[in-house]
């Protein structure tokens, strides 16, 4: 199975390079980094460190289109390259790349693999309660039980992507994917990830 790691980047000049370096150490998968119209030096630094690395492909949006749009752009590039599956990981360092091999193994048997964070004391109060309320509402309305609705650390096969193709360009992408999973009664697995 040919798997790619997709990294949306927006104004992460301090963390994106380090995140991609850790991905390359923890996984044998190739990386596609999409700079989504950053106004800082993110793209210049990505080019400086990875333009000669054959495992890293760089894309740039001239303006900020949003996380969902960047994720779609990366996914479409993977499918055109003959990829079989994708793993999304945020560029800000909150998702630990050490879990990539677990995602890769789970993709051999599942079309969807979602990371979930323990909702505890370290999570900011607004995020904690926002996530809990979203889990309850989306779960009730769309008959889906997820442990962490808003975690962007996720993976899917090409067939899985085709079933949940999202229209959301911004941060509603995770919720839209969850609602489509629930509506279509699609099976998935979850793995605990530390942040």
């Amino acid at each position: 199975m040919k798997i790619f790691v997709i990294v949306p980047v927006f104004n992460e000049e301090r963390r994106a390079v380090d995140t991609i370096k850790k991905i390359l150490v923890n996984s044998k998968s190739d990386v596609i980094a999409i700079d989504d119209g950053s106004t800082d030096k993110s793209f210049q630094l990505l080019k400086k460190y990875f333009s000669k690395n054959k495992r890293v492909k760089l894309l740039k949006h001239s303006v900020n289109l949003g996380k969902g749009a960047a994720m779609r752009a990366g996914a479409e590039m993977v499918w055109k390259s003959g990829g079989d599956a994708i793993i999304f990981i945020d560029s800000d360092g909150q998702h630990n790349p050490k879990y990539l091999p677990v995602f890769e193994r789970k993709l051999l048997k599942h079309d969807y693999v979602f990371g979930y964070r323990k909702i505890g004391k370290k999570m900011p109060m607004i995020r904690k309660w926002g996530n809990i309320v979203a889990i309850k509402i989306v779960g009730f309305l769309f008959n889906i039980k997820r442990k962490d609705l808003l975690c962007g650390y996720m993976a899917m096969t090409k067939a899985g992507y085709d079933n949940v193709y999202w229209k959301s360009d911004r941060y509603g992408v995770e919720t839209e994917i969850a609602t489509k999973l629930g509506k279509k009664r699609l099976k998935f697995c979850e793995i605990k990830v530390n942040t």
Side-chain angles (χ1 to χ4, degrees):
M1 180 177 271
K2 192 173 182 183
I3 302 171
F4 287 78
V5 179
I6 297 176
V7 186
V9 178
F10 179 66
N11 289 342
E12 287 295 344
E13 65 184 4
R14 292 184 301 143
R15 295 178 282 247
V17 168
D18 188 50
T19 297
I20 293 172
K21 284 180 178 179
K22 288 177 181 173
I23 291 169
L24 294 171
V25 167
N26 284 278
S27 172
K28 294 180 181 175
S29 298
D30 287 351
V31 176
I32 296 178
I34 304 100
D35 183 280
D36 189 33
S38 292
T39 55
D40 66 0
K41 294 179 182 173
S42 293
F43 192 67
Q44 292 91 325
L45 290 169
L46 291 172
K47 283 197 307 186
K48 176 182 175 181
Y49 285 95
F50 303 113
S51 63
K52 294 179 182 175
N53 189 317
K54 292 181 181 179
R55 289 185 55 206
V56 180
K57 309 237 181 332
L58 303 175
L59 294 176
K60 176 153 179 64
H61 291 162
S62 55
V63 295
N64 178 255
L65 300 175
K67 181 181 180 182
M71 289 168 63
R72 269 197 320 271
E76 294 300 325
M77 185 174 181
V78 167
W79 311 140
K80 287 177 185 173
S81 301
D84 300 303
I86 49 181
I87 302 171
F88 295 106
I89 187 169
D90 289 350
S91 62
D92 62 4
Q94 72 165 300
H95 300 147
N96 193 330
K98 76 177 184 180
Y99 297 105
L100 288 169
V102 181
F103 277 89
E104 291 164 351
R105 285 193 302 273
K106 294 287 186 182
L107 279 168
L108 297 173
K109 294 184 178 182
H110 303 276
D111 282 329
Y112 307 97
V113 185
F114 296 96
Y116 71 91
R117 304 159 292 183
K118 183 178 180 184
I119 299 175
K121 295 176 184 175
K122 290 185 180 180
M123 186 177 279
M125 192 63 69
I126 189 84
R127 282 190 183 173
K128 176 180 177 179
W129 286 106
N131 204 353
I132 290 169
V133 170
I135 289 168
K136 298 287 185 192
I137 292 172
V138 171
F140 175 75
L141 293 175
F142 298 98
N143 194 30
I144 184 169
K145 292 182 181 177
R146 289 270 309 277
K147 294 176 182 170
D148 183 351
L149 197 64
L150 305 178
C151 183
Y153 204 170
M154 68 177 99
M156 61 189 72
T157 63
K158 171 69 167 79
Y161 175 83
D162 290 342
N163 276 323
V164 296
Y165 181 85
W166 58 87
K167 294 180 182 176
S168 177
D169 288 336
R170 301 279 170 194
Y171 279 94
V173 62
E174 288 94 353
T175 306
E176 183 179 345
I177 290 170
T179 61
K180 289 185 174 183
L181 286 170
K183 282 182 186 177
K184 296 182 179 185
R185 305 288 191 262
L186 299 170
K187 294 182 179 180
F188 60 89
C189 74
E190 294 179 295
I191 59 173
K192 185 177 179 183
V193 297
N194 294 328
T195 57

